[in-house]
Amino acid sequence: MLDDPELDDDDYDALLDELRALEAADPLLVTPDSPTQRIGGEPVSSLPKVRHEIPMLSLANARSEEELRAWVARMRAHLAREGIEQPAFQFVCEPKIDGLAISLRYEDGILAQGATRGNGEIGEDVTHNLRTIPTIPLRLNPTHPAPPVLEVRGELYMSLQDFAALNERRAEAGLSTFMNPRNAAAGTIRQLDPRLARERPLSMWSYGIGRVDGLAFEGHWEALQWLRAHGFRVNEDIRLLQSEDEVVAQCLAWQERRGSLDFEIDGVVVKVSDLELQRRLGVVGRDPRWAIAWKFPPTTKVTTLKDIMWNVGKFGDLHPFAVLEPVHVGGVTVKLATLHNEEDLARKDLREGDEVIVLRAGDVIPQVLSPAPHATERPDRAAPPRPPERCPACDTPTVKPPEGVFTKCPNRICPGRQWQLLKHFVSRGAMDIDGIGEKQVYGLQQAGLVRTPADFYRLTAEQLVELEGYGEISATRAVENIAESKGRPFGRLLFAIGLEEVGFVTGRNLAQRFRTIDALLAASAEEIEQTSGVGPKMAQKICEQLADPQLRTLIEDLRSVGVSMELEGPPPGEGPLAGKTFVLTGTLPDLTREQATERIEAAGGRVTSGVSKKTDYVVAGASPGTKLAKAERLGVAVLDETGLLALLG
Ligand code: IVH
């Protein structure tokens, strides 16, 4: 099954590397269904038109139980007019995914062409992008003989999680955000350069077959089962139902579940399964008589944009958000919504006091889409919003860096900025302080006990007990956890103190390159640029921040409370594990994966993802992946946690 891969990701990557090397040595070995082809080939210069041999139809809608029952009555009336005996209908109920329809043509079992629906008759060739999508098979499962021609149809979509992450990245980069996952998917699939599609994860649910040669199915239900058996992703929750009543109940059940799915659906598609009956029922205009879309109530509402306010981010960026007249939409009451950035705000032309359209579907963060129709015609409309001249959290005059998209609060110790920094500081990838989460940080900041990250290290259990949510035991434990975090690897500290451009990996690389905070603080931009993964612009930015007196104060303050500021262990190429390569698999009893990696690296060893003959040790914990089997096959030494700790001495 596509959702349940036989190999774990790392093993897959290792095999892929091997295959890539083979293909590079002998290009004749490259087949169109080779997994290396998923990487996406060269950009195309245009999207050629593709005529669909069998038109891609649309669907009539039903918005209520009555309309659904009326549809069944219309089918019965049509069959009666044609003199056909009344059947016992079998219905297939499927989610109506809110994406875009595509058609995939397989020739002798190999993906030959993929196209958008277009106007139903003519679409566009987007094969280069479709190839990059992991849920689209490049080849049919070879367990059955492949039909000479098979056209599979389905819906392309972006998951809600991927959509939210994509918009966040775009907002950060000052790019326009997508209105909804459907637009994001549509915008992606029509790109000329397949590398873009690869970076924006898309997926597909298959829901039907167009042309097929050399195969016959009795019903749509059987066709879907066949597709699933041949490697296509068919929703697990589709149902074959025997009566109108069951169909109504199923539609209502999907409506209930709508908000808990990881993709957007805007209804349920109900199809008569029997293909012979489908043929007899035929098509009216563009809509087949044998299918209907039960549409959910809309998830957009109109409300008043009461205020546009600004939040301060970790690096001082001012992010606009909307304060709305509370409105019930998509199953929840929405009072606040993100507005992403200034340019997005200007593009949407939103003003305080406007009637606006608010969208909330599934888990998508509520969004303000646009002013409501006619809202922009009001004579007394407010002026376009402007970012505040003074920081809303600390009143410092704001600045707009020429190269940036965000107006900024330049004050490093601004409480708004500190709140974001403090949350980041204790978070998992950073100093990883157990027992201090967002709620506790808020309480500590409100109580005036913690203003900067160094203040965490001065807290006592007595102070914590005074706060809501702490008992004696949990307070003592939190203080112990805070103290324990003083010894976190230097790279994590560099990440935790909130430097722009310094993520987890860059933090680790800087730590490895400079080894102590003093060496880093003394480094020039040119020297910082020598760090792996750091370019000239980034180096300049890091260097500037390290010179900031407020940051220097924070560093000295952290040093004074005993936070470790140097890389432990031997220099590169030295240490007990120098030159040794490790692969981790499964869950170790005590160490997390990051901890094990850090310990191995601190001893001079290297941790890689895939097992090969060059691997020195595989460290296996509970429920190991296929890496363990592979290690055994290749004769690579296998250790458990105790064995690893012994090696580490
Ligand atoms: S069948 C036979 N099944 O809805 C009619 N369409 O309104 C052809 N859609 O263009 C479509 N989920 O993009 C069908 N399970 C599903 C669907 C589905 C979403 C979309 C599809 C189509 C549109 C028609």
Side-chain angles (χ1 to χ4, degrees):
M1 281 297 295
L2 285 160
D3 284 340
D4 182 18
E6 280 169 39
L7 287 179
D8 67 21
D9 289 355
D10 293 337
D11 278 345
Y12 183 83
D13 288 347
L15 282 176
L16 195 63
D17 282 344
E18 222 170 287
L19 180 60
R20 231 182 250 134
L22 285 171
E23 289 180 345
D26 185 356
L28 285 177
L29 289 177
V30 184
T31 58
D33 67 320
S34 164
T36 60
Q37 300 306 298
R38 291 235 186 259
I39 316 306
E42 291 297 304
V44 297
S45 56
S46 65
L47 303 178
K49 299 274 182 273
V50 174
R51 176 171 287 279
H52 300 297
E53 283 185 42
I54 301 176
M56 293 184 76
L57 300 174
S58 46
L59 291 166
N61 293 330
R63 293 185 188 280
S64 63
E65 184 176 334
E66 291 70 45
E67 290 183 14
L68 193 103
R69 292 186 188 274
W71 163 65
V72 181
R74 280 200 304 278
M75 289 198 289
R76 293 206 179 279
H78 179 83
L79 294 176
R81 275 199 305 277
E82 300 288 309
I84 298 162
E85 201 186 316
Q86 288 297 326
F89 284 122
Q90 287 198 314
F91 301 100
V92 180
C93 272
E94 305 166 11
K96 185 169 191 301
I97 300 108
D98 196 7
L100 60 145
I102 50 164
S103 157
L104 305 170
R105 186 183 164 97
Y106 290 82
E107 292 172 4
D108 297 322
I110 305 278
L111 176 63
Q113 187 177 59
T116 61
R117 174 177 184 275
N119 63 8
E121 302 279 340
I122 295 175
E124 285 174 317
D125 185 333
V126 289
T127 319
H128 60 297
N129 288 330
L130 293 173
R131 278 191 195 290
T132 68
I133 298 172
T135 44
I136 294 184
L138 296 172
R139 189 168 55 126
L140 301 182
N141 274 352
T143 45
H144 310 248
V149 176
L150 168 72
E151 199 199 309
V152 179
R153 291 175 174 183
E155 197 82 350
L156 197 68
Y157 71 96
M158 187 177 285
S159 80
L160 292 173
Q161 210 186 344
D162 289 332
F163 168 70
L166 173 65
N167 262 358
E168 208 167 292
R169 285 202 305 275
R170 289 180 66 87
E172 285 291 329
L175 299 169
S176 61
T177 53
F178 289 107
M179 289 266 208
N180 53 46
R182 174 163 33 82
N183 287 3
T188 302
I189 206 62
R190 299 193 65 254
Q191 294 288 334
L192 298 176
D193 186 345
R195 273 172 307 188
L196 262 166
R198 222 175 97 77
E199 282 163 18
R200 296 189 197 158
L202 295 174
S203 207
M204 172 175 158
W205 289 117
S206 303
Y207 58 59
I209 289 183
R211 174 177 158 187
V212 54
D213 296 355
L215 268 182
F217 301 105
E218 194 176 314
H220 176 62
W221 180 256
E222 286 75 25
L224 291 178
Q225 307 306 320
W226 188 93
L227 284 177
R228 186 182 281 144
H230 284 75
F232 292 89
R233 197 147 156 272
V234 175
N235 195 282
E236 296 82 33
D237 294 320
I238 58 166
R239 290 282 177 277
L240 181 65
L241 302 174
Q242 315 293 336
S243 71
E244 273 170 70
D245 289 346
E246 283 178 16
V247 169
V248 170
Q250 183 67 20
C251 289
L252 292 171
W254 273 107
Q255 194 160 312
E256 280 294 305
R257 283 188 57 197
R258 172 184 203 183
S260 63
L261 301 172
D262 186 35
F263 50 92
E264 282 212 52
I265 62 175
D266 57 353
V268 180
V269 184
V270 187
K271 300 171 183 171
V272 169
S273 187
D274 188 307
L275 295 181
E276 177 55 22
L277 265 179
Q278 284 191 5
R279 204 183 54 73
R280 288 173 174 248
L281 284 161
V283 177
V284 217
R286 298 226 142 264
D287 305 336
R289 226 181 240 108
W290 46 266
I292 198 143
W294 162 289
K295 295 282 276 213
F296 295 150
T299 49
T300 56
K301 281 280 177 67
V302 173
T303 189
T304 308
L305 174 56
K306 291 205 300 193
D307 206 350
I308 294 172
M309 293 180 76
W310 303 76
N311 240 329
V312 194
K314 192 167 61 188
F315 304 125
D317 303 343
L318 296 183
H319 299 262
F321 65 96
V323 182
L324 302 162
E325 188 59 48
V327 61
H328 200 70
V329 49
V332 296
T333 302
V334 176
K335 299 188 198 110
L336 300 174
T338 168
L339 294 171
H340 299 294
N341 61 38
E342 291 161 39
E343 277 153 45
D344 221 40
L345 193 56
R347 215 173 286 124
K348 290 179 178 164
D349 187 28
L350 298 168
R351 317 271 179 96
E352 268 173 38
D354 278 354
E355 295 274 283
V356 293
I357 300 176
V358 176
L359 166 85
R360 187 201 175 265
D363 282 339
V364 178
I365 308 147
Q367 295 191 65
V368 179
L369 289 185
S370 66
H374 311 300
T376 54
E377 292 159 17
R378 259 189 22 223
D380 58 339
R381 209 173 170 223
R386 294 244 310 262
E389 283 167 16
R390 288 178 169 274
C391 169
C394 71
D395 211 38
T396 303
T398 57
V399 292
K400 173 96 194 223
E403 78 285 7
V405 289
F406 291 102
T407 298
K408 287 185 140 200
C409 167
N411 176 17
R412 236 173 214 287
I413 52 173
C414 158
R417 221 174 133 161
Q418 286 293 317
W419 153 241
Q420 307 288 348
L421 174 67
L422 293 169
K423 278 191 297 181
H424 165 73
F425 188 83
V426 300
S427 69
R428 275 198 86 200
M431 298 303 262
D432 193 9
I433 304 182
D434 235 14
I436 309 267
E438 190 166 322
K439 217 169 88 201
Q440 290 78 10
V441 173
Y442 184 79
L444 289 165
Q445 206 191 15
Q446 287 297 305
L449 290 172
V450 171
R451 281 185 318 112
T452 84
D455 293 333
F456 285 120
Y457 298 96
R458 301 191 186 95
L459 288 172
T460 62
E462 291 71 43
Q463 285 173 318
L464 286 182
V465 168
E466 299 289 309
L467 291 178
E468 210 190 300
Y470 282 107
E472 256 171 50
I473 296 176
S474 56
T476 310
R477 201 170 299 143
V479 171
E480 281 166 11
N481 292 339
I482 294 171
E484 190 231 357
S485 77
K486 289 180 189 174
R488 292 278 179 268
F490 181 37
R492 282 201 190 214
L493 176 72
L494 292 176
F495 171 55
I497 56 178
L499 297 168
E500 264 180 273
E501 308 279 356
V502 180
F504 185 81
V505 174
T506 306
R508 202 156 68 186
N509 291 343
L510 285 169
Q512 244 145 27
R513 169 104 184 86
F514 293 97
R515 305 194 64 82
T516 70
I517 192 75
D518 293 315
L520 178 61
L521 290 176
S524 65
E526 290 72 33
E527 284 163 334
I528 293 177
E529 202 188 320
Q530 305 300 309
T531 310
S532 119
V534 176
K537 259 185 149 167
M538 222 167 131
Q540 189 59 41
K541 185 109 208 188
I542 295 170
C543 192
E544 272 166 29
Q545 297 175 83
L546 291 172
D548 180 318
Q550 285 180 334
L551 186 85
R552 294 255 169 164
T553 308
L554 171 63
I555 290 174
E556 289 317 319
D557 214 8
L558 285 168
R559 198 200 302 255
S560 76
V561 294
V563 173
S564 157
M565 301 212 168
E566 58 184 44
L567 191 66
E568 284 173 14
E574 291 176 32
L577 302 185
K580 298 280 183 240
T581 308
F582 289 74
V583 171
L584 305 173
T585 180
T587 314
L588 298 177
D590 290 320
L591 297 174
T592 65
R593 210 164 255 247
E594 290 81 36
Q595 286 167 338
T597 306
E598 282 163 359
R599 299 275 297 263
I600 292 168
E601 287 180 350
R606 217 160 61 85
V607 177
T608 62
S609 55
V611 180
S612 74
K613 274 178 274 177
K614 292 190 202 124
T615 309
D616 293 294
Y617 298 99
V618 167
V619 183
S623 334
T626 46
K627 287 178 199 172
L628 178 59
K630 186 158 177 198
E632 282 163 357
R633 206 167 61 237
L634 294 176
V636 174
V638 176
L639 301 172
D640 58 7
E641 187 179 89
T642 319
L644 171 66
L645 292 173
L647 258 192
L648 289 164

